[in-house]
Amino acid sequence: MAFISGFSAEQQSMSVDVIRKSFQATEEGFTSLVATQWSMKPQIAAVGSCCLVGVICNGSLYVANVGDSRAVMGRAVKATGEVLAVQLSAEHNASIESVRQELKSMHPDDSQIVVLKHNVWRVKGLIQVSRSIGDVYLKKAEFNREPLYAKFRLREPIKKPILSSEPSISVHQLQPQDQFVIFASDGLWEHFSNQEAVDIVQHNPRNGIARRLVKIALQEAAKKREMRYSDLKKIDRGVRRHFHDDITVIVVFIDSTFVSRATSVKFPCISLRGGGVSLPSNTLAPCTTPTEAGTT
């Protein structure tokens, strides 16, 4: 999210407010694009994305999320040598009771704000997430009308936004026992518990670990469909969406030396963007954290 570095430089620091403004600017930028493209590509109004962001600055880890991606830390326990999973992000999916209650409290006059459809809770019977970037057809009345496809149009006009782009943000002071953080879309968490994912990272080589998580998740997806992994891989990606959700994974290993130094020395803000590439160790200096990214 490029806006973070701009707002951070403007305020000469990293903060919750900087991240919130970055999400807002991203949302406004996409909404502006939809308005520009509406007459030619109206279906862009139904395009949206979850957004999970991690920023390390001066020994603190900021985690912000809209949607149902998740960040999970592996934290060592000195007494036992175990590495335990600690969830860092909050999710916005209608399958969660507290999310449904939040939606009902925000829309008390709408008995259909959340609907159980084919055994899955959905906002207005359409979408599982309650917060996202985009999906403006559920945020602005002017984009919930023809020529948008009928399946996306609501019977009643939108009086106020149904979905939100407001991120849930948490700040964690990094400690020497903090080993790594897994950033992943919900496609991974459909197959692994937090602890299972942390155990895989902990007990396998760092190199290629994100790809390993993706592969094991796909093997689980194939098993649930009673098919071989090799056969699942042969299915066209457009069709495979019916067999498993998209899976994107980034694993960030935390340098405990950097963490101990960062508590006493102020460094420039550091942000990390995953793109399926390995960065040289000095790219994010003074942090020399190896990074692995994988996606399918």
Side-chain angles (χ1 to χ4, degrees):
M1 188 172 288
F3 289 109
I4 289 180
S5 58
F7 287 125
S8 176
E10 183 180 297
Q11 295 193 10
Q12 297 186 330
S13 66
M14 178 54 59
S15 68
V16 168
D17 188 52
V18 164
I19 294 174
R20 185 171 288 114
K21 285 182 177 179
S22 299
F23 271 76
Q24 182 182 350
T26 302
E27 173 76 358
E28 290 174 353
F30 187 76
T31 302
S32 177
L33 176 65
V34 173
T36 302
Q37 297 287 320
W38 173 254
S39 61
M40 297 175 290
K41 301 177 181 177
Q43 310 315 321
I44 195 175
V47 173
S49 177
C50 299
C51 184
L52 177 63
V53 171
V55 178
I56 297 174
C57 186
N58 294 328
S60 292
L61 170 62
Y62 296 78
V63 174
N65 186 52
V66 294
D68 52 10
S69 295
R70 186 185 304 171
V72 174
M73 175 179 284
R75 179 173 289 161
V77 179
K78 290 182 180 180
T80 63
E82 296 176 284
V83 176
L84 298 181
V86 180
Q87 185 166 326
L88 304 179
S89 57
E91 292 162 46
H92 314 115
N93 189 300
S95 65
I96 303 169
E97 173 65 25
S98 60
V99 172
R100 296 199 297 275
Q101 290 303 320
E102 178 184 58
L103 286 164
K104 290 175 182 178
S105 65
M106 292 171 63
H107 304 271
D109 300 326
D110 189 349
S111 62
Q112 299 295 305
I113 188 64
V114 283
V115 178
L116 188 61
K117 192 174 182 179
H118 304 303
N119 213 32
V120 176
W121 286 103
R122 295 181 182 274
V123 182
K124 299 299 292 182
L126 293 170
I127 189 169
Q128 287 182 265
V129 294
S130 62
R131 305 189 194 188
S132 69
I133 299 294
D135 294 312
V136 298
Y137 76 109
L138 289 176
K139 294 173 180 175
K140 292 182 177 290
E142 60 264 37
F143 300 122
N144 197 285
R145 57 180 175 84
E146 291 183 340
L148 186 70
Y149 291 149
K151 65 180 180 180
F152 295 124
R153 298 201 303 267
L154 303 179
R155 293 180 180 179
E156 301 295 329
I158 296 176
K159 295 179 181 179
K160 63 178 181 179
I162 295 169
L163 301 188
S164 165
S165 61
E166 178 71 17
S168 292
I169 305 173
S170 58
V171 185
H172 307 269
Q173 193 66 38
L174 291 173
Q175 304 296 325
Q177 60 267 33
D178 296 336
Q179 305 293 298
F180 54 82
V181 182
I182 305 168
F183 295 89
S185 63
D186 65 316
L188 182 79
W189 308 112
E190 285 180 5
H191 303 291
F192 299 139
S193 68
N194 293 351
Q195 190 60 53
E196 286 171 339
V198 164
D199 289 344
I200 291 171
V201 175
Q202 176 62 17
H203 296 123
N204 285 282
R206 289 188 177 188
N207 188 33
I209 191 59
R211 293 182 181 87
R212 183 184 294 271
L213 282 168
V214 171
K215 182 176 181 179
I216 297 174
L218 290 176
Q219 290 171 337
E220 288 296 314
K223 189 184 301 181
K224 290 174 183 177
R225 288 283 186 163
E226 298 183 342
M227 61 191 303
R228 293 180 300 184
Y229 168 72
S230 58
D231 292 333
L232 177 66
K233 290 286 287 182
K234 293 175 184 176
I235 299 173
D236 181 76
R237 288 195 175 193
V239 179
R240 266 171 59 187
R241 186 62 186 263
H242 299 291
F243 291 80
H244 66 83
D245 205 347
D246 61 283
I247 307 172
T248 300
V249 181
I250 296 174
V251 178
V252 179
F253 290 92
I254 301 169
D255 188 333
S256 58
T257 305
F258 159 72
V259 172
S260 60
R261 282 195 296 153
T263 56
S264 57
V265 180
K266 294 294 183 181
F267 294 121
C269 293
I270 301 169
S271 64
L272 179 66
R273 295 181 295 173
V277 296
S278 296
L279 301 177
S281 61
N282 62 348
T283 303
L284 297 176
C287 176
T288 57
T289 304
T291 304
E292 287 291 341
T295 186
T296 184

